[in-house]
């Protein structure tokens, strides 16, 4: 009987998924069109071949494209700083509507543990967050960048500060890459890991996310296996991501072991049944050979009981067996929220119950930067829900 109910749920969800996906695709296309109409052509994010075609169209030799590309990878901030190009050619680039595509740092904060959060001012006066997280791991220095994929977020997760700030638009490829360059410059250190876990829902801006990921991998030499794409679940997109055959980690935010509780925590979950998500995750694993990590934010008194841990273990064992990996995330307090962070003992008990249920890999995310408005979206919400007053429009 239970399997029959699951099948019924899956069929209903599939119909909802198709309708929702069409609406989201149209919305994303319109949003991206608005961005392209309001900004110059960014050089950052272009391949060598694309740059070579661009310079040839301007009457230059193809090798000039490679020179520009080298400047971009090094993090140049302005076309005028490309000094191995003639002054006349630099002027032609600017007059043709080209710009590097770099933003400016509007403000920043730093925690005692070394975590830095940057608020970046974009070309249209909107701001977006990115976070640099340094870590000494067995005598190896690692630097992780948590990048945003959108200005704001439309998913409205009840525990998330970004959702409370509203949604403005998708980020472009250059605006995503730019975040990594800024963190690299702040730490004067190579970036080793990137997580798409900042502001926004990456799957709602999938084309820019994939293009930026491929640039970070190929041009900045960040291994795909060191890049994680996180999602709360957007219909049809996990399978679309799988088609790219990336070797990156997919992190799916579940936050509950059954549908009704998940809908309370993640309102948009109503259009994407939990069993449909898990089927898509299994497809991703089979198509790419890469594991799916399940994120579970622990909120005191809401979803942190041992009974719910056992229910989650049963659910994941059914779909993935002992290969499941769960990343537990104790709630990070945000403004205007009644949610509370569970005690350490409660977190450890939840982890123990999951392991007893057969889930071998259960990690607990260490909180970093809690002193610097580190919960996603908090720093941005301090400044704006629209363009900055009198913003400087001269960003790269």
């Amino acid at each position: 009987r239970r399997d029959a109910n699951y099948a019924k749920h899956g069929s209903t969800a599939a119909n909802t998924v198709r309708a929702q996906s069409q609406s989201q695709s149209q919305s994303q296309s319109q949003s991206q069109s608005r961005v392209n109409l309001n900004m110059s052509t960014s050089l950052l994010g272009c391949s060598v071949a694309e740059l070579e075609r661009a310079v040839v169209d301007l009457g230059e030799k193809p090798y000039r494209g490679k020179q520009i590309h080298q400047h971009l990878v090094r993090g140049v901030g302005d076309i005028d700083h490309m000094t191995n190009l003639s002054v006349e050619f630099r002027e032609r680039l600017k007059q043709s509507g080209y710009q590097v595509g770099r933003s400016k740092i509007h403000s920043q904060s730093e925690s005692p543990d070394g975590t830095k959060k940057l608020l970046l001012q974009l070309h249209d006066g909107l701001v977006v967050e990115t976070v640099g997280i340094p870590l000494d791991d067995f005598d190896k220095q690692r630097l992780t960048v948590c990048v945003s994929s959108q200005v704001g977020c439309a998913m409205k997760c009840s525990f998330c500060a970004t959702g409370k700030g509203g949604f403005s638009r998708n980020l472009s490829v250059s605006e995503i890459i730019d975040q990594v360059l800024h963190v690299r410059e702040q730490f004067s250190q190579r970036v080793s890991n990137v997580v798409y876990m900042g502001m926004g829902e990456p799957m709602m801006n999938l084309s820019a996310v994939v293009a930026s990921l491929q640039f970070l991998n190929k041009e900045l030499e960040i291994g795909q296996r060191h890049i994680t794409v996180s999602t709360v679940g957007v219909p049809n997109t996990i399978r679309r991501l799988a088609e790219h055959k990336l070797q990156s980690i997919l992190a799916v935010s579940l936050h509950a072991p059954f549908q009704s509780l998940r809908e309370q925590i993640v309102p948009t979950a109503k259009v994407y049944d939990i069993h449909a998500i898990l089927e898509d995750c299994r497809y991703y694993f089979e198509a790419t050979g890469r594991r799916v990590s399940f994120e579970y934010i622990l909120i005191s008194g809401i979803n942190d009981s041992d009974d719910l841990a056992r229910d989650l273990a049963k659910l994941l064992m059914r779909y993935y067996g002992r290969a499941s990996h769960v990343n537990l995330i104790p709630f990070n307090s945000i403004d205007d929220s009644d949610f509370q962070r569970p005690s350490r003992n409660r977190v450890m008990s939840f982890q123990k119950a999951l392991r007893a249920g057969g889930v071998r890999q259960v990690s607990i995310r260490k909180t970093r930067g809690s002193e610097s408005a580190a919960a996603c979206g908090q720093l941005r919400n301090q400044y704006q829900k629209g363009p900055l007053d009198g913003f400087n429009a001269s960003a790269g």
Side-chain angles (χ1 to χ4, degrees), residues 1 23-24 34 68 80 121 146 150 158 177 193-194 210 212 233 246 253 266 280 297 319 342-343 374 382:
R1 190 181 301 114
S23 173
Q24 288 166 340
R34 287 195 297 271
I68 293 173
D80 284 331
Q121 176 186 312
C146 180
Q150 297 179 309
S158 58
I177 297 169
N193 299 73
V194 174
V210 170
S212 63
L246 301 174
S253 299
V266 183
D280 287 347
I297 191 164
Y319 282 91
S343 67
Q382 292 175 7

Side-chain angles (χ1 to χ4, degrees), residues 120-366:
L120 304 178
Q121 176 186 312
L122 307 177
H123 70 94
D124 52 5
L126 296 176
V127 291
V128 68
E129 296 175 5
T130 190
V131 183
I133 308 169
L135 180 65
D136 290 331
D137 187 16
F138 300 106
D139 296 327
K140 277 188 176 182
Q141 285 193 329
R142 291 194 302 164
L143 178 59
T144 297
V145 183
C146 180
V147 298
S148 297
S149 55
Q150 297 179 309
V151 183
C153 185
M155 305 308 283
K156 300 186 183 301
C157 296
S158 58
F159 55 84
C160 180
T162 299
K164 293 180 181 296
F167 172 76
S168 297
R169 65 170 175 86
N170 286 334
L171 293 179
S172 66
V173 176
S174 62
E175 288 169 334
I176 296 174
I177 297 169
D178 173 63
Q179 298 172 57
V180 178
L181 296 179
H182 271 296
V183 171
R184 186 180 70 178
E185 291 159 3
Q186 286 289 308
F187 285 86
S188 299
Q189 179 182 334
R190 177 184 175 273
V191 173
S192 59
N193 299 73
V194 174
V195 292
Y196 287 78
M197 295 182 179
M199 292 169 53
E201 166 53 62
M203 294 298 192
M204 293 291 287
N205 190 17
L206 188 57
S207 59
V209 165
V210 170
S212 63
L213 189 157
Q214 291 170 333
F215 184 95
L216 296 175
N217 170 237
K218 183 177 180 182
E219 311 303 343
L220 299 190
E221 299 182 344
I222 302 171
Q224 285 193 16
R225 290 173 180 255
H226 296 280
I227 300 175
T228 299
V229 178
S230 177
T231 179
V232 75
V234 177
N236 288 332
T237 56
I238 292 176
R239 290 176 181 257
R240 283 173 50 205
L241 180 63
E243 292 171 359
H244 291 279
K245 304 294 183 183
L246 301 174
Q247 286 298 292
S248 302
I249 297 171
L250 174 65
V252 176
S253 299
L254 281 185
H255 308 319
F258 51 86
Q259 184 67 15
S260 58
L261 178 58
R262 190 166 191 269
E263 289 178 13
Q264 294 177 37
I265 299 172
V266 183
T268 56
K270 294 175 182 177
V271 302
Y272 200 4
D273 183 82
I274 193 169
H275 299 288
I277 291 178
L278 292 172
E279 287 288 357
D280 287 347
C281 289
R282 184 156 56 186
Y283 176 89
Y284 181 88
F285 171 74
E286 292 170 352
T288 66
R290 297 295 290 150
R291 80 175 189 195
V292 176
S293 178
F294 294 100
E295 311 255 295
Y296 195 102
I297 191 164
L298 287 166
I299 306 171
S300 181
I302 303 295
N303 66 345
D304 64 341
S305 70
D306 288 353
D307 284 342
L308 289 175
R310 286 186 279 270
D311 289 338
L312 180 62
K314 290 176 184 176
L315 180 69
L316 295 181
M317 288 294 289
R318 174 182 174 183
Y319 282 91
Y320 297 99
R322 294 183 180 273
S324 299
H325 174 264
V326 177
N327 188 17
L328 300 178
I329 309 167
F331 174 68
N332 196 3
S333 297
I334 62 173
D335 296 335
D336 302 321
S337 174
D338 295 328
F339 289 153
Q340 298 293 322
R341 185 186 184 94
S343 67
R344 176 174 172 78
N345 287 342
R346 177 90 307 272
V347 174
M348 299 301 291
S349 181
F350 194 95
Q351 181 189 46
K352 183 178 179 181
L354 266 180
R355 286 175 172 167
V359 181
R360 291 178 176 176
Q361 300 181 65
V362 186
S363 56
I364 300 173
R365 181 180 296 175
K366 182 180 179 182

